[in-house]
Amino acid sequence: MNDMLEKKIREHAEAVFGSEPAAGHRERFAGKLAARRKRRTTLLRRITACVTAAAAIVAAVFLLKTGFEYGDGQDEESFDDVRNYYAMLLEDEIESTEQLLPALDNGYREDIRRDIASIRAETAFAEYGERNEILLVRVYSSKIEALQHIRNIISEHL
């Protein structure tokens, strides 16, 4: 088989290696090279944009986190603001739930009032750092969700 291939190459060597390529061959080849360079450049730009965006996100998270941790007395104020805001939201949910109570039977009404009283009970939070703000938000959010769930159940049974 190799002998046959070698014989064919020798017979057509003049046509393959000695002559000029077909018309337009160089232009097509240059076009293919340009398209490959363009794809590579586009890919590199996309990778650079993704890496830059990821770096910006990491930097923003790092700067925001360190800004909260090393504030100059503003942590106490922000903690109080967050606590007051969520306490207001909790009271709104309690009022909305209590407005539905008169339509219930006395036994259910008293059970729900006891549940509301336990939800309303203030949880003591030490006032330092970002971690406690997160804990505060989670506790108040779970209380608000519990009240919304109670209100939904009451609404379904009315």
Side-chain angles (χ1 to χ4, degrees), residues 6 33 37 43 47 53 62 73 76 86 90-91 96 99 125 149:
E6 190 174 325
L33 286 177
R37 278 190 213 116
L43 178 64
I47 291 172
F62 177 74
E76 293 174 14
Y86 277 94
L90 181 65
E91 284 301 316
S96 298
Q99 289 175 357
F125 291 99
H149 183 68

Side-chain angles (χ1 to χ4, degrees), residues 21-78:
H25 171 73
R26 289 195 171 119
E27 290 80 16
R28 287 191 305 274
F29 186 70
K32 288 179 183 179
L33 286 177
R36 182 180 289 173
R37 278 190 213 116
K38 184 176 179 181
R39 282 193 306 269
R40 185 178 296 155
T41 303
T42 303
L43 178 64
L44 287 175
R45 285 182 182 164
R46 287 180 181 170
I47 291 172
T48 303
C50 290
V51 169
T52 304
I57 290 170
V58 168
V61 167
F62 177 74
L63 291 175
L64 288 175
K65 184 176 181 184
T66 57
F68 282 125
E69 289 177 357
Y70 302 109
D72 50 359
Q74 293 182 3
D75 285 341
E76 293 174 14
E77 291 175 16
S78 66

Side-chain angles (χ1 to χ4, degrees), residues 6-140:
E6 190 174 325
K7 183 179 175 188
K8 286 229 180 214
I9 290 174
R10 285 188 184 166
E11 287 175 4
H12 300 338
E14 179 81 23
V16 173
F17 299 115
S19 64
E20 282 291 315
H25 171 73
R26 289 195 171 119
E27 290 80 16
R28 287 191 305 274
F29 186 70
K32 288 179 183 179
L33 286 177
R36 182 180 289 173
R37 278 190 213 116
K38 184 176 179 181
R39 282 193 306 269
R40 185 178 296 155
T41 303
T42 303
L43 178 64
L44 287 175
R45 285 182 182 164
R46 287 180 181 170
I47 291 172
T48 303
C50 290
V51 169
T52 304
I57 290 170
V58 168
V61 167
F62 177 74
L63 291 175
L64 288 175
K65 184 176 181 184
T66 57
F68 282 125
E69 289 177 357
Y70 302 109
D72 50 359
Q74 293 182 3
D75 285 341
E76 293 174 14
E77 291 175 16
S78 66
F79 182 82
D80 290 338
D81 291 342
V82 170
R83 180 176 45 200
N84 292 338
Y85 173 73
Y86 277 94
M88 180 189 68
L89 290 178
L90 181 65
E91 284 301 316
D92 288 344
E93 289 296 326
I94 289 172
E95 288 175 12
S96 298
T97 306
E98 286 177 338
Q99 289 175 357
L100 297 174
L101 291 181
L104 293 176
D105 294 336
N106 284 336
Y108 294 124
R109 190 179 315 147
E110 292 308 315
D111 289 340
I112 292 175
R113 281 201 173 124
R114 277 193 296 275
D115 290 340
I116 289 174
S118 67
I119 288 173
R120 185 179 267 158
E122 183 73 30
T123 305
F125 291 99
E127 297 185 22
Y128 62 91
E130 178 186 7
R131 218 174 272 155
N132 284 339
E133 284 181 7
I134 293 171
L135 177 64
L136 177 83
V137 169
R138 286 184 179 164
V139 168
Y140 272 105

